[in-house]
Each structure stands twice: as structure tokens, then as C-alpha cells.
Amino acid sequence: MATEALALDGVDALYGDSHVLHGVSWKLNEGSVLALLGRNGAGKTTCMNAIIGWLSPRKGEIRLFGEKIGRRSPEAIARKGVGLVPQGRRVFPTLTVKENLVVAARGKNQLGRVFDLFPRLKERTEQHAGSLSGGEQQMLAIGRALMGNPRVLLMDEPSEGLAPLIVAEVGRIIARLKAEGQSIVLVEQNVKLAFDLADEVAILNTGRVAFAGPAKDARDNETLIIQHLGVF
């Protein structure tokens, strides 16, 4: 039986008086990729913010390997093993590649693993992050998250703004992480990339779950995809 790595169970979340998430429930199994999909404004990033602790759920539970984390601080949640690759990369532009990585280190040293995954970063160890290309900055953002030895990795729009060749490379990296046993929640507007990588899918529509289940079931449901994602 699969081990539950991360679960949202009946989560409500608000920004001020604005009710954004309404009873959201889905789960990620250990060693799997769950694609969290939906149109802009559907609540995907709000889910990520609630998981990482930047937003406290009003109702419901968030569990990491069975332990409730929904109302802990971001620092405590990170220490429990949740890593984030944020939308927009958010690297430290005035620090070198190595400094960006080392500052995020926690537990077992992952620098060798990161350089194995991203040889280009190893070549640019002493280069300032602000001078990297967009694709290289995305690699650095992923590598920085891995430096924290995450049990669950949250990836918020990792292909956004990248050229097709770099998108394919990011896809290969995610597939390799999955093959190594990394549990991943992938928020992605590139539906093809998401379906290529995902074992499970959760589709949000205006803060509610429209579908949660095997990726194959969602991929084969043309009506569902057109209605909630606008593509096929």
C-alpha cells in the first residue's frame, strides 16, 4: 500500500475576507508526482502557500507523512521536510551560484547531487546568480530547494517563461527526481508537461477540487480538460 507523503483534507483558506480555498482535499503518495492544475486564479499557488506555511488554513488539515503541519511556521515546516521551488525563481542575484546553494543547506550535504543534476551550475559556481540565463536561474532554484533535503518538493510553475528546449530539460530533471524517489507537487500551466510527469492529478476551479485522481483518468477525459483547463 502506498505511503501518504502529503495530504490536504477539507482545507479552507482566506486572504483577508476573500475566501480562496473551499474544502480542498487531495493527496500525494510517496515517490510520486501530483500535478496541481487549474486556470489562473483557481487557487493553486494558495494551496502551495498553505502547505509551506505562508498562509494558515481556516479549516481542515494538512499532513506531512501523517503529521499535521497546517498551522506551523514556514521555518518549522521546512525543517519537517517541505521544500519549495517558488514561482519566478527568486534566486539571490548578488550571491554566487554556490552561495545561493550553500545558504539553503540543511542536513546531509547535497551539493554534489545538485552539481550532478545540473552540470551547468557547477561550471558557473562563482558566477553571480543575477547574471545567469532564465533557464539557469530555474535550475538554481530547483537545486537550492534540494539543498534542504526535502521529503516533499513543491514546484510552482517551473517551466514558466522558458524556451522549449529548457522546458524539456526541466521535465527530464523532474522525471529523474521522481525516479530517485522524490515526492513532488507540481503546479504547471504546461498541461502536456504535467501529464507526461504526473502519477496523480488534482484540478482546481475557483478554489474547489474539480477532479482528484489518477493522471490517466484526467488525461483521457476531454470534457474535463476543456472545461477546467481550456486546452486539449
Side-chain angles (χ1 to χ4, degrees), residues 69-135:
I69 60 167
R71 289 162 184 83
R72 294 177 181 264
S73 69
E75 295 81 7
I77 291 169
R79 285 196 297 270
K80 289 291 182 182
V82 179
L84 174 67
V85 181
Q87 185 176 16
R89 299 150 201 159
R90 302 186 195 176
V91 298
F92 301 113
T94 60
L95 299 184
T96 66
V97 165
K98 186 174 182 179
E99 287 168 341
N100 266 272
L101 295 171
V102 170
V103 76
R106 181 182 292 109
K108 181 181 177 183
N109 191 327
Q110 294 292 317
L111 196 59
R113 180 192 184 201
V114 169
F115 285 155
D116 181 52
L117 283 167
F118 303 109
R120 210 175 309 180
L121 295 183
K122 187 174 184 179
E123 295 170 3
R124 290 157 173 71
T125 304
E126 301 304 324
Q127 191 170 325
H128 285 112
S131 68
L132 300 176
S133 68

Side-chain angles (χ1 to χ4, degrees), residues 181-192:
Q182 180 71 62
S183 307
I184 299 171
V185 177
L186 175 64
V187 170
E188 186 53 72
Q189 289 290 345
N190 185 327
V191 174
K192 182 183 184 306

Side-chain angles (χ1 to χ4, degrees), residues 9-76:
D9 188 0
V11 170
D12 279 24
L14 291 79
Y15 289 118
D17 294 329
S18 180
H19 198 156
V20 182
L21 300 182
H22 304 263
V24 168
S25 298
W26 48 259
K27 71 173 183 176
L28 166 71
N29 289 323
E30 185 177 18
S32 298
V33 173
L34 179 137
L36 185 58
L37 307 177
R39 299 175 191 266
N40 288 336
K44 306 182 299 296
T45 295
T46 303
C47 275
M48 301 291 245
N49 290 344
I51 295 165
I52 204 68
W54 292 343
L55 179 67
S56 183
R58 179 67 60 89
K59 289 172 56 180
E61 290 183 359
I62 301 174
R63 297 186 300 272
L64 179 69
F65 289 91
E67 181 179 357
K68 296 178 184 179
I69 60 167
R71 289 162 184 83
R72 294 177 181 264
S73 69
E75 295 81 7

Side-chain angles (χ1 to χ4, degrees), residues 89 138 156-163 167 170 188-190 193:
R89 299 150 201 159
Q138 186 62 68
D156 198 352
E157 304 284 6
S159 77
E160 184 178 49
L162 301 181
V167 171
V170 169
E188 186 53 72
Q189 289 290 345
N190 185 327
L193 177 67

